């Protein structure tokens, strides 16, 4: 369900935890070089080739997927929060914005 607040993006829970960091919208693996330690990865989806990125990110927000998707499973393995199936995360979360993700709720709040 879409959030009524334009600063909130709803998704599905993927991995528990709360993290605040800079959103980095990454549409292709080639763009991942822009990620820095603690960034919140905002993407369409992930595949096994994306797995090494999880070692340095603070959390993940994905447009597709659910609790059993690749991104959610790997996020749980790395102990980072994940919000999956947002449908619009890559469209409405500005690259570089400070965001807080609540993985247990699947909710992302755009702080600035």
């Amino acid at each position: 369900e879409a959030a009524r607040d334009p600063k909130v993006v709803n998704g599905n829970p993927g991995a528990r935890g709360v993290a605040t960091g800079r959103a980095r919208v990454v549409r292709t693996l080639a763009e991942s070089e822009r990620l820095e330690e603690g960034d919140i990865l905002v993407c369409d989806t992930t595949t096994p080739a994306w797995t090494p990125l999880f070692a340095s990110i603070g959390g993940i927000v994905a447009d597709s997927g659910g609790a059993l998707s690749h991104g959610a499973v790997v996020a749980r393995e790395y102990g980072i929060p994940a919000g999956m199936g947002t449908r619009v995360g890559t469209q409405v979360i500005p690259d570089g914005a400070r965001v807080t993700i609540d993985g247990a709720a699947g909710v992302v709040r755009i702080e600035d």
Side-chain angles (χ1 to χ4, degrees):
E1 180 178 321
R4 295 184 193 277
D5 184 340
K7 295 216 173 246
V8 173
V9 177
N10 289 330
N12 300 311
R16 291 184 294 179
V18 175
T20 300
R22 181 180 57 180
R24 203 40 87 196
V25 179
V26 177
R27 296 190 191 286
T28 67
L29 195 53
E31 295 177 6
S32 68
E33 65 189 28
R34 298 184 308 113
L35 284 168
E36 294 182 14
E37 185 84 24
D39 282 351
I40 306 299
L41 171 63
V42 180
C43 60
D44 297 314
T45 191
T46 64
T47 65
W50 293 59
T51 302
L53 303 176
F54 287 71
S56 65
I57 60 175
I60 178 173
V61 177
D63 287 350
S64 63
L68 298 178
S69 65
H70 174 267
V73 170
V74 176
R76 289 193 296 274
E77 290 175 0
Y78 279 86
I80 60 173
M84 310 303 291
T86 65
R87 296 185 184 183
V88 297
T90 58
Q91 298 166 24
V92 301
I93 298 173
D95 187 63
R98 184 173 163 85
V99 298
T100 298
I101 177 174
D102 179 345
V107 174
V108 181
R109 174 165 286 285
I110 302 167
E111 306 291 345
D112 61 16

